[in-house]
Amino acid sequence: MTTSIVLFTRDLRVHDNPALAAACREDKSVVPLFVLDTDLLARVGDAANRLRFLCSALSELDDELGARGGRLVVRHGRVVDEVVRAAREVGADTVHLAADGTPYSRRREDALREQLSSARGELRVHGSSITAVDPGAIRPDTGRGHYAIFTPYFNRWLETPVRRPVPPPVTVTVPEVESEAIPGAADLDAGPGSPQLAVGGETTGRKLLEQWLSGPVRRYEDEKDIPAADGTSRLSPYLHFGCLSVTEIVTRTPAADPGALAFLRQLAWRDFYHQVLADEPRVAVADYKTTPAEPWRSDPRGVAAWQAGQTGYPMVDAGMRQLLAEGWMPGRARLIAASFLVKTLRVDWRIGAEHFERWLVDGDVANNRLNWQWMAGTGTDTRSSRVLNPLRQADRFDPEGDYVRRWLPELAQLPGAEIQRPWRAGVLAADYPPPIVEFNGM
Ligand code: FAD
């Protein structure tokens, strides 16, 4: 009886999971393995929201496997050692893995391949598991390894056929093998995190997806930039952990509808940044543009006010308070908050990116670091002089102040748009600060 291992990483699902599907098709039994990787945990130890979301995603994955006769096998240790150990225990010589282009994932993949081949084992890497279009699958004619400008990338992306989603296995037969319990947040020493954090996992993610595709996606184009409307999908953490397959979402999104097309465009931004990072791993920490950036300022008090949502600009502060409360922010709020830090306070984008990664439940190297660089003018954006004035942004995207009112209760008594300029009302709430810098339009 042949047995193989499926190493789950950030593809925590049974639907449209090419690695799991191949293993179940080709082998009599499989070990669906998740390793609590001590090297990775040491790097993300303060990201309580992601650790908590991960725990519930593992629990839902175990339930999904259980419904098919299987279960999740959990080990704790260095990932390569644990995979090799599990393979030896069950006599498996094939390990299935989703392809991933981050610098860490590629090192993991190389190390696994080397270790397995010295034991005559094989690593099978499955593409288009984490992105819809694999990094490197579409390249510009210039001979460069990635597209640096989004629009031509998007045009090619739209024309590129996406693989057909694979159904979940009907049965998953798992051999006798030891497993640790599915971890809870306390097992991972995850701190308290955000009080209103989303529940992680495939089952929850699929319900959200069904609801999203049943109607709201068609309003996406009109509502995506109005934070008070909550008109975006909120699927980002489920995509980050692979509780949902982006390939399945792309396949099921009707591109002929203008709202849905705008949504597809955002999914393409995700693929776009993954292909940049896969080709230029250095940009996780270094500026994408090699021309020297203007020097950054040191402003610990400004950074502290920004992190706490106490800059005195309600539109900036509402986003930053939502981040602390939910571990998530809508895209428009991320742009406004990021612009304030890098363009107004002139603080290094890496400081902002680290704060986001500590709190964001969808915190993702490619999407976070490259969006920050886009805003900072060091990345793939060609209009590096763009500055978002938080007052104009508020007038345009929160004209009645409903978003700000939701997150700044101390200003809630100010009616309509007045809430955006509390200093004009002459009733600055005792516990809300005056603006820490000046802007046009005050
Ligand atoms: P929707 O608007 O419903 O979009 C659907 C999906 O498309 C998202 O779930 C996401 O996977 C993808 N997407 C949307 N916008 C972008 C974008 N600009 N770049 C890349 N992918 C996108 N996204 C993350 O997933 N992780 C991050 O760590 C992250 N950090 C960001 C930091 C900054 C400074 C900025 C400006 C944006 C960041 N984004 C990040 C991108 C984007 O803001 C979020 O993906 C989006 O707000 C998540 O909400 P949603 O799922 O409702 O998105």
Side-chain angles (χ1 to χ4, degrees):
M1 171 150 142
T2 56
T3 301
S4 63
I5 291 190
V6 178
L7 177 62
F8 285 93
T9 54
R10 52 176 177 143
D11 55 339
L12 302 178
R13 60 177 186 270
V14 301
H15 292 81
D16 190 39
N17 187 321
L20 178 67
C24 292
R25 194 173 55 238
E26 293 166 19
D27 293 292
K28 292 258 169 45
S29 71
V30 300
V31 178
L33 178 66
F34 186 84
V35 179
L36 294 161
D37 178 355
T38 38
D39 290 341
L40 207 50
L41 288 172
R43 292 155 57 125
V44 300
D46 64 349
N49 288 333
R50 270 185 288 151
L51 291 176
R52 286 173 174 271
F53 192 94
L54 170 69
C55 291
S56 55
L58 293 176
S59 169
E60 290 198 359
L61 178 60
D62 185 45
D63 291 346
E64 293 282 351
L65 290 163
R68 291 157 179 85
R71 67 195 162 95
L72 186 64
V73 174
V74 178
R75 298 284 173 97
H76 197 156
R78 301 193 68 189
V79 64
V80 176
D81 299 345
E82 293 304 320
V83 172
V84 171
R85 195 190 326 269
R88 205 179 301 128
E89 282 168 25
V90 295
D93 37 46
T94 306
V95 174
H96 297 267
L97 174 72
D100 193 339
T102 65
Y104 183 82
S105 312
R106 286 162 72 169
R107 284 199 298 278
R108 175 178 62 200
E109 185 185 314
D110 290 345
L112 265 173
R113 185 173 291 109
E114 196 185 313
Q115 285 289 315
L116 288 169
S117 70
S118 59
R120 299 215 179 144
E122 186 198 358
L123 181 68
R124 295 256 310 270
V125 179
H126 299 264
S128 57
S129 297
I130 283 168
T131 50
V133 171
D134 279 325
I138 46 180
R139 290 173 193 237
D141 297 335
T142 56
R144 203 172 185 176
H146 68 274
Y147 271 91
I149 300 179
F150 177 71
T151 304
Y153 174 81
F154 181 50
N155 292 336
R156 290 279 309 276
W157 187 90
L158 277 176
E159 291 164 1
T160 305
V162 168
R163 78 169 163 74
R164 194 188 280 229
V166 290
V170 178
T171 51
V172 181
T173 308
V174 180
E176 257 320 290
V177 58
E178 271 180 33
S179 170
E180 293 182 18
I182 305 289
D187 300 316
L188 301 186
D189 288 329
S194 295
Q196 298 165 46
L197 184 68
V199 174
E202 179 173 22
T203 320
T204 309
R206 290 192 77 75
K207 282 188 199 140
L208 261 178
L209 176 64
E210 295 309 324
Q211 208 270 335
W212 173 248
L213 292 177
S214 73
V217 67
R218 293 170 193 276
R219 298 193 294 276
Y220 181 75
E221 171 74 329
D222 299 329
E223 294 189 351
K224 68 178 170 32
D225 284 313
I226 312 291
D230 216 356
T232 69
S233 68
R234 287 187 176 248
L235 294 177
S236 51
Y238 302 91
L239 283 165
H240 173 70
F241 285 94
C243 307
L244 293 174
S245 146
V246 66
T247 301
E248 180 188 347
I249 301 178
V250 169
T251 317
R252 294 180 57 191
T253 301
D257 178 88
L261 181 62
F263 175 65
L264 281 175
R265 188 179 161 88
Q266 295 313 111
L267 294 174
W269 270 108
R270 180 176 180 275
D271 278 9
F272 174 75
Y273 284 137
H274 279 76
Q275 55 104 42
V276 174
L277 181 68
D279 193 42
E280 295 230 22
R282 67 176 184 90
V283 301
V285 281
D287 291 347
Y288 176 86
K289 283 186 185 151
T290 44
T291 43
E294 271 179 58
W296 300 110
R297 287 182 51 225
S298 166
D299 182 359
R301 285 176 62 185
V303 171
W306 177 81
Q307 290 178 337
Q310 297 280 0
T311 67
Y313 283 97
M315 197 62 185
V316 175
D317 294 341
M320 296 306 290
R321 304 254 190 117
Q322 183 175 13
L323 175 63
L324 301 182
E326 293 189 356
W328 182 88
M329 295 158 93
R332 177 55 48 185
R334 295 185 202 210
L335 287 167
I336 296 169
S339 171
F340 192 85
L341 190 77
V342 295
K343 291 286 174 66
T344 303
L345 300 183
R346 294 287 322 148
V347 167
D348 192 335
W349 63 266
R350 280 157 277 247
I351 292 174
E354 278 163 23
H355 180 71
F356 268 30
E357 275 157 24
R358 174 164 171 358
W359 286 96
L360 277 177
V361 62
D362 61 28
D364 181 281
V365 180
N367 289 352
N368 188 44
R369 302 248 152 185
L370 288 163
N371 269 295
W372 269 99
Q373 293 219 40
W374 186 88
M375 199 65 248
T378 63
T380 55
D381 183 23
T382 46
R383 290 168 53 203
S384 56
S385 58
R386 179 188 288 111
V387 183
L388 303 184
N389 175 325
L391 297 171
R392 296 216 183 99
Q393 292 285 309
D395 295 341
R396 193 162 162 210
F397 299 114
D398 193 31
E400 294 305 316
D402 294 333
Y403 176 63
V404 165
R405 207 162 285 109
R406 195 177 297 160
W407 293 107
L408 303 188
E410 67 269 43
L411 298 180
Q413 80 281 7
L414 293 178
E418 274 186 38
I419 197 170
Q420 304 291 3
R421 293 170 176 79
W423 54 90
R424 278 196 190 165
V427 283
L428 259 191
D431 48 359
Y432 190 69
I436 59 170
V437 285
E438 288 199 357
F439 259 105
N440 284 342
M442 292 182 78

